[in-house]
Amino acid sequence: MAAHRRQPGGADGRVREQTGSPPATQCDNRAVTTSTTDPAATISSTTTETGPDRSALPAAATSRAVIDLEAVAHNGRLLAQTAGVPWMAVVKADAYGHGLGPIALTALSAGASWLGVAQLAEALILRALLDEAGVARPVEEPSGQAPRVLSWLLPVMDPARAACEDSPLRAALKADLDLSVSTLSQLEALVAAARAQATTARLHLKVDTGMSRGGAMAEDLPALAAALRRAVDEGAVDVVGLWSHLSRADEPTSGSTEEHLVRYRQAERIVREAGLTPSIHHLAATGGLLWHPEARMDLVRAGIGLYGLSPAPSVTTGAELGLRPAMRLESELVQVKRIDVGQAVSYGGTWSAPTDRWVGLVPLGYSDGVPRAASSTGPVGIGGMMTAIVGRVCMDQVVIDLGPAQDETGSSLPAPAQVGDTAVLWGAPDALGQEAVPTVDEWAQACGTINYEIVTRLGARIPRCYVGAGAGGDYARP
């Protein structure tokens, strides 16, 4: 029987679809999570002969983000099939909040031959995780067994600092990282580090093709390309890549991507005239690889799509693309109470009970990444009931409406949920319609933002609990 939503706030109920609860779990309450070589093999079962074992969930935790690694692998394979070229798993920002180590290793198992992060600090952490997991460093062409790692935001430093023994740029070269360069000052620092390290830096020249963010401007490119050629002749650097980023790939009919491509080809000509011959050209992230085949080039960068979310739900939803959401944020109710009609809820009294109501307390707040913009709007599922946050989101907790405490005749109604019941903030919809599960896209719409922000801002104190094929058993909900 399909679940029907009670209407605690007077809004219409909806029936959701979901793939069901994924099997088994391993929880990690660190922001940057680790794993070993085989992601599936490392996820220990939490099921005993007598039932689920909650030992994988840190004993003091009341909430969790359940991360479906099989969904991640599925999404990676699907995007790779669409692109038809090698792909980079973009795992910046703790893998968009999903956990760096497990996601990186899952992506490699699904066929990624590159891993990409923004900040150099996270690239060094990633390299350490890969080394710990026994993942080889590539000697020739990268592969899932020996991937390349690219970092594109480097700390600012002068050549003297870059050459110091404890320089982070020297650490990057020791870690065999590919690095991005966009300015002469960056190049000077990288050359100094390479000289001091007695090695050759692998560089990707980033050009600005219309984003007006990172990347060399057209007027600066000839001088930068000439300087790069001199550094190549010296043996200090090897320019292996030419890349850029699309500003409106999620607007397929805007014409913007076509303008980017024209500027990219112009930059490519300047680079070639300087005597540089990068072998890897990459421009497309998820939106580009989905909707702009001409932007796929030699390598694509799978970011938001890897996590089961569409870069433009208004164009094509993740479900329509065949993607599977990988994150489910859930928590137990820690208190259920009855309040009188007119009683204000949370700071500022911005919401008051329209009738005698049942409300529940969920121990998640803006310190955990729940946007304050979700006040009196963020959807929450409890069993088969879809409801919402009422009142303002607090630092560590929110209140949700559980519906009326009296019927039309004035008779008391029992609470529709109890302490310990699971509240789901977002996840993959329930295919059987028995559980109300809001989606990340619904949260983004409610908060006036994008799905990227909803998952990426999830706080470090929320344990990530990993499920997926090969784990076995059923994960224990809070």
Side-chain angles (χ1 to χ4, degrees), residues 214-246:
M217 297 293 288
E219 58 268 28
D220 300 324
L221 187 56
L224 178 58
L228 279 164
R229 177 53 196 266
R230 292 191 295 272
V232 168
D233 291 342
E234 178 189 335
V237 309
D238 184 10
V239 181
V240 298
L242 179 67
W243 75 298
S244 188
H245 192 63
L246 300 173

Side-chain angles (χ1 to χ4, degrees), residues 9 15 31 103 129 134 162 217 221 245 269 300 321 333 394 403 457:
V15 177
I103 297 301
L129 293 174
M217 297 293 288
L221 187 56
H245 192 63
R269 186 165 53 252
V300 294
L321 292 168
L333 287 180
C394 306
R457 66 185 293 159

Side-chain angles (χ1 to χ4, degrees), residues 248-258 287 291-292 312 315-316:
R248 298 174 67 184
D250 55 354
E251 301 175 49
T253 61
S254 68
S256 172
T257 295
E258 289 71 21
W291 298 309
H292 304 280
V315 175
T316 312

Side-chain angles (χ1 to χ4, degrees), residues 158-376:
D158 59 35
R161 174 69 184 96
C164 291
E165 188 173 355
D166 63 346
S167 159
L169 294 185
R170 289 187 63 177
L173 298 179
K174 291 177 187 176
D176 222 2
L177 302 177
D178 284 33
L179 304 171
S180 180
V181 61
S182 300
T183 67
L184 282 170
S185 61
Q186 288 176 340
L187 176 59
E188 289 167 356
L190 287 163
V191 168
R195 288 171 180 160
Q197 196 62 29
T199 191
T200 300
R202 287 175 51 92
L203 302 184
H204 294 236
L205 171 56
K206 187 174 186 182
V207 294
D208 187 347
T209 55
M211 185 79 166
S212 300
R213 198 175 62 175
M217 297 293 288
E219 58 268 28
D220 300 324
L221 187 56
L224 178 58
L228 279 164
R229 177 53 196 266
R230 292 191 295 272
V232 168
D233 291 342
E234 178 189 335
V237 309
D238 184 10
V239 181
V240 298
L242 179 67
W243 75 298
S244 188
H245 192 63
L246 300 173
S247 60
R248 298 174 67 184
D250 55 354
E251 301 175 49
T253 61
S254 68
S256 172
T257 295
E258 289 71 21
E259 294 174 359
H260 276 269
L261 282 162
V262 169
R263 297 187 186 105
Y264 184 92
R265 297 305 182 194
Q266 292 170 345
E268 189 177 32
R269 186 165 53 252
I270 293 170
V271 167
R272 191 168 52 246
E273 289 172 352
L276 300 174
T277 56
S279 59
I280 307 161
H281 300 78
H282 52 115
L283 184 61
T286 301
L289 78 86
L290 287 172
W291 298 309
H292 304 280
E294 66 279 15
R296 292 170 186 163
M297 300 184 180
D298 303 311
L299 178 72
V300 294
R301 306 185 298 269
I304 194 68
L306 184 62
Y307 307 98
L309 303 174
S310 170
S314 62
V315 175
T316 312
T317 66
E320 291 167 340
L321 292 168
L323 300 171
R324 290 163 47 186
M327 179 188 288
R328 171 187 170 105
L329 179 62
E330 62 185 31
S331 180
E332 57 189 13
L333 287 180
V334 296
Q335 187 174 1
V336 173
K337 64 173 65 175
R338 184 187 184 281
I339 61 174
D340 294 335
V341 58
Q343 176 63 47
V345 171
S346 194
Y347 289 116
T350 58
W351 184 89
S352 299
T355 64
D356 291 353
R357 308 296 280 187
W358 288 105
V359 294
L361 185 63
V362 179
L364 286 166
Y366 57 75
S367 65
D368 301 301
V370 176
R372 197 164 182 267
S375 298
S376 292

Side-chain angles (χ1 to χ4, degrees), residues 1 41 76 91 109 112 128 134 143 156 160 205 219 251 322 382 386 392 418 471 473-474:
M1 180 181 295
V91 291
S109 73
S143 67
V156 176
L205 171 56
E219 58 268 28
E251 301 175 49
I382 298 282
M386 186 70 75
R392 287 181 177 160
Q418 306 299 322
D474 294 325

Side-chain angles (χ1 to χ4, degrees), residues 409-424:
T409 68
S411 298
S412 295
L413 293 172
Q418 306 299 322
V419 169
D421 286 355
T422 299
V424 182

Side-chain angles (χ1 to χ4, degrees), residues 41-69:
T42 65
I43 300 173
S44 58
S45 171
T46 59
T47 299
T48 67
E49 292 182 0
T50 58
D53 174 10
R54 290 189 58 189
S55 61
L57 182 66
T62 53
S63 307
R64 65 168 75 187
V66 181
I67 310 299
D68 185 352
L69 296 180

